Amino acid sequence: MLTNILAERYNSIVATAHDTSGLARWLQDQPSPRRRGLKTPPPAQSRLRFAFYGRVSTANHQDPVASHQWQREAATQAVGTAGAIVCDYFDIGCSRSLPWHDRPQASRLLDAIRNPKREFDAIIVGESDRAFSGNQLQQLLPTLTHSNITLWLPELGGPLYPGNPTHRALIALLGNDARREVLRARHRTLTAMRALARDGGRFLGGRPPYGYHLADAGPHPNPAHARWGRRLQRLEPDPATAPHVRWIFTQRLAGNSPATIAAMLTHRGVACPSAADPGRNPHRNGKSWATRAVDGILANPRYTGRQVWDRQKILHHETRPGGGDTGGTTTRRASTKDQWVISGVLAHPALIDEATFVAAQRISSLAVPADGQERHYLITGLIICDVCERRAEPLWVHGKAAYRCRHGYRTARPANSPLPFYAREDALLAAAASELERVTGDTQTLWDRVALSGFLRARQVTLRCSRDIVALVGPLPENVQLVIPDVIGVSSADLAGVTGDAGGNPIGFGRFPLPKIGRPTKRRPRRITARSVTKRNP
C-alpha cells in the first residue's frame, strides 16, 4: 500500500517536472549564444528514441522522485546528441537481486521490447548497478539482440557491443560489483544491529511481545535523523496485558501445562494476543488461546527486561551468494540459543525476574520418568495416522512403549470427531515382522525388534495405521498390507486386489470398513497388545 501511494505521488511530480509550458518551454526555444572560436555542432542526421529504465530499492527510506531525477539526468548526459528519451520505466521498492520479469516496470519494458510497434529504438539505464546484478545483463542480451534493441550504459558513454571483449569484461565486472554491494550492505547492517542490541539494548523494530506496548524513547542519536524528526522507541509494560504474563509464569511454576494454562485463560475471558492487537492479526479470529501462544510467552526472555535479537533468521536460499534470482521464497527459521544476541544491560522494565524465567524453562524441559530410567522408542516418526496424516506421538503405557494419535486435539475432543488411535510398539513390530517374513522369507533377522526397526528406517518404510489396519508404505518387494492380528481376523492374502469402489473410495478390508473422517463410530477401540499377536502367531 505504501509503495502504491509513493508511486502515485512520484508519477504526479514527474508529470509536473516534464511540463514544457511557460519558462521551461521558453528556455528550450531560445538559441544558444555563439562564442568566438566555437562552432555549433551540426544536427544529428538520425536521432534514436530511447527508453529510460531506473530503480529505487527502498520506497520508505529514499525519495523516489529525487532518485528518478538524478538517474534520468545521468542517462540524458550519456545519450547526448544521439537521440532523446521518449518513455520512462522506473521501479519503486524492488531489490536489484530480483530478475527483470519479477519487477513491475522492468516486466512492462520486456513486453514493450517484444512489441514490433514499440516507440523506442534503444534502452538507456540511469546506473548499471541499480539496473542489473550478477548475470542479469548476460541473460537479457539475447532478448535485446533478437529484437534489434541497443543497450546504452552510462559507464560506457555509449552503446554496448556484446562481441567486444572489453565490453564483455565490463559486463562481468559491473555484475559482480552489484552483487558485492548487496553482500556488503547485508553484512554491515546485521553487524551494526547486533552491536546496537548487545551493547545498548536498543529496540530494533518489530511488534512488541504480548504484555508490552511501544513508547517514545527520545530523539534519534544521529543528529541528522533527529533533525528529520525521527525518534527511538522502547518497550513499556501494557497495563491491560502485563498482569496476565505474570500470571502465566506463576501457573507454570505451579506445575500446570501450557495446554491447561491456555484453557484457563480462555475460560476466564482473557484476550489472547491476536484479540489484544487485532490490527496486526487480521488473519486470526482471536476467540481463544492457543497452546503455542502460551509456549511462546514462556520461552521469550525479553520479559526479563533484556533486549534479545536474532531469535529468528531469514533464509534467502541463494545458490549463489547475493544472487536473489537463484533462490526461492525466503523463509524464517529459529536460531539456536547460542546465536541469540542478548543485551548486557536492562533495556526495558521487566515483567518477571531472571530466576523465575530460568525456573520456568527447567519445567518446560524434557520430562524425566519417576523411576529415572530412560525410555527407548524404536519406530518414532515411522507411524503415520491414516485419519489425519499426522505422525503418532510416543508414550509409555504400563512399562511398554506405545504410540497414539489424537488427531490434533490436546484437550477434550468434539463428539463428532474420530476416535484416537492407540497401539503398542511390540504389537506393531510383530505384525510387520510376520508379513515381512512372508514376503522376504527371512525368519531369523526380522523377528528381532531392533533389527526390524532398523530395516524399516533404512528403507524409509512407514507404517500407515488406523484403529484396525496397518499398511506398510515404502520401497518393498510388493504392496504389503498388514492386518493387526486378533482384531479383524483377515489375512493379508485376502486383501489382494482390494483397492476401492467405483467412486474411488476405499471399500475397507474384510467386513469392517476403515473409519471415515468426521463420522462418529460406536465401536469401542480395541487395544492392540502383544498377547493378541502371540495368539494369532503362536
Side-chain angles (χ1 to χ4, degrees), residues 96 129 132-134 172-188 320-323:
R96 78 184 74 189
D129 290 350
F132 309 105
S133 176
L173 177 62
L174 294 176
N176 290 330
D177 284 346
R179 186 188 307 161
R180 174 174 170 268
E181 179 62 26
V182 173
L183 296 177
R184 286 184 57 194
R186 185 184 303 172
H187 173 73
R188 288 180 297 183
R320 186 180 65 250

Side-chain angles (χ1 to χ4, degrees), residues 346-393:
L346 294 180
H348 49 266
L351 297 185
I352 58 171
D353 54 28
E354 296 184 3
T356 301
F357 178 80
V358 174
Q361 305 315 301
R362 291 174 178 173
I363 296 176
S364 301
S365 60
L366 295 177
V368 179
D371 56 4
Q373 300 296 325
E374 295 183 357
R375 307 301 194 216
H376 296 280
Y377 301 93
L378 298 178
I379 48 178
T380 303
L382 300 182
I383 310 300
I384 307 298
C385 178
D386 189 60
V387 177
C388 64
E389 304 290 338
R390 290 180 171 87
R391 295 186 183 273
E393 58 180 345

Side-chain angles (χ1 to χ4, degrees), residues 74 135 191 243 357 428 510:
N135 61 347
T191 303
F357 178 80
L428 293 172

Side-chain angles (χ1 to χ4, degrees), residues 198-535:
R198 181 185 62 246
D199 301 334
R202 182 182 297 185
F203 177 75
L204 299 176
R207 65 175 62 188
Y210 183 81
Y212 286 102
H213 64 82
L214 296 179
D216 183 76
H220 199 281
N222 190 320
H225 290 233
R227 287 194 299 268
W228 296 338
R230 294 180 178 175
R231 304 182 66 83
L232 298 179
Q233 291 180 312
R234 60 174 296 176
L235 297 177
E236 289 289 343
D238 186 0
T241 57
H244 303 311
V245 174
R246 301 187 182 97
W247 183 87
I248 289 173
F249 277 91
T250 302
Q251 295 299 317
R252 186 57 177 154
L253 294 181
N256 292 320
S257 66
T260 302
I261 296 175
M264 295 170 64
L265 290 169
T266 303
H267 180 72
R268 296 175 59 187
V270 177
C272 62
S274 56
D277 191 4
R280 293 179 175 173
N281 300 276
H283 57 292
R284 302 183 184 274
N285 54 27
K287 295 181 179 180
S288 61
W289 279 77
T291 305
R292 292 186 61 183
V294 178
D295 289 334
I297 292 175
L298 292 172
N300 194 343
R302 301 174 76 182
Y303 293 113
T304 63
R306 304 278 183 176
Q307 184 62 266
V308 183
W309 182 77
D310 201 18
R311 295 179 64 197
Q312 284 187 342
K313 293 184 179 296
I314 298 179
L315 303 181
H316 298 273
H317 305 289
E318 298 170 348
T319 58
R320 186 180 65 250
D325 56 335
T326 63
T329 305
T330 58
T331 57
R332 293 179 179 271
R333 290 289 183 271
S335 304
T336 58
K337 291 182 174 58
D338 59 335
Q339 296 175 336
W340 293 1
V341 179
I342 303 178
S343 62
V345 297
L346 294 180
H348 49 266
L351 297 185
I352 58 171
D353 54 28
E354 296 184 3
T356 301
F357 178 80
V358 174
Q361 305 315 301
R362 291 174 178 173
I363 296 176
S364 301
S365 60
L366 295 177
V368 179
D371 56 4
Q373 300 296 325
E374 295 183 357
R375 307 301 194 216
H376 296 280
Y377 301 93
L378 298 178
I379 48 178
T380 303
L382 300 182
I383 310 300
I384 307 298
C385 178
D386 189 60
V387 177
C388 64
E389 304 290 338
R390 290 180 171 87
R391 295 186 183 273
E393 58 180 345
L395 73 159
W396 204 257
V397 180
H398 301 297
K400 299 292 183 179
Y403 298 88
R404 70 179 177 183
C405 180
R406 294 183 288 181
H407 314 309
Y409 299 104
R410 304 189 66 172
T411 55
R413 60 182 180 85
N416 61 344
S417 63
L419 293 176
F421 162 76
Y422 290 90
R424 285 244 307 256
E425 183 179 78
D426 52 1
L428 293 172
L429 288 174
S434 62
E435 186 62 21
L436 289 175
E437 177 185 347
R438 185 188 67 83
V439 174
T440 63
D442 192 340
T443 60
Q444 301 297 326
T445 304
L446 292 179
W447 271 104
D448 182 72
R449 294 195 303 165
V450 177
L452 175 59
S453 61
F455 175 87
L456 298 175
R457 197 175 297 277
R459 289 160 178 78
Q460 298 181 353
V461 178
T462 59
L463 282 71
R464 191 180 185 90
C465 304
S466 67
R467 293 187 303 108
D468 300 330
I469 300 295
V470 177
L472 291 185
V473 180
L476 292 171
E478 61 184 57
N479 188 15
V480 181
Q481 297 281 349
L482 303 183
V483 179
I484 300 176
D486 203 27
V487 176
I488 298 180
V490 180
S491 63
S492 59
D494 298 332
L495 306 178
V498 178
T499 57
D501 57 11
N505 301 314
I507 61 176
F509 304 98
R511 295 180 294 111
F512 301 93
L514 290 173
K516 296 182 178 179
I517 298 177
R519 190 182 70 178
T521 177
K522 297 182 179 179
R523 289 194 299 124
R524 296 179 57 188
R526 299 284 301 276
R527 184 178 298 276
I528 306 168
T529 62
R531 181 180 301 174
S532 62
V533 175
T534 306
K535 187 182 302 182

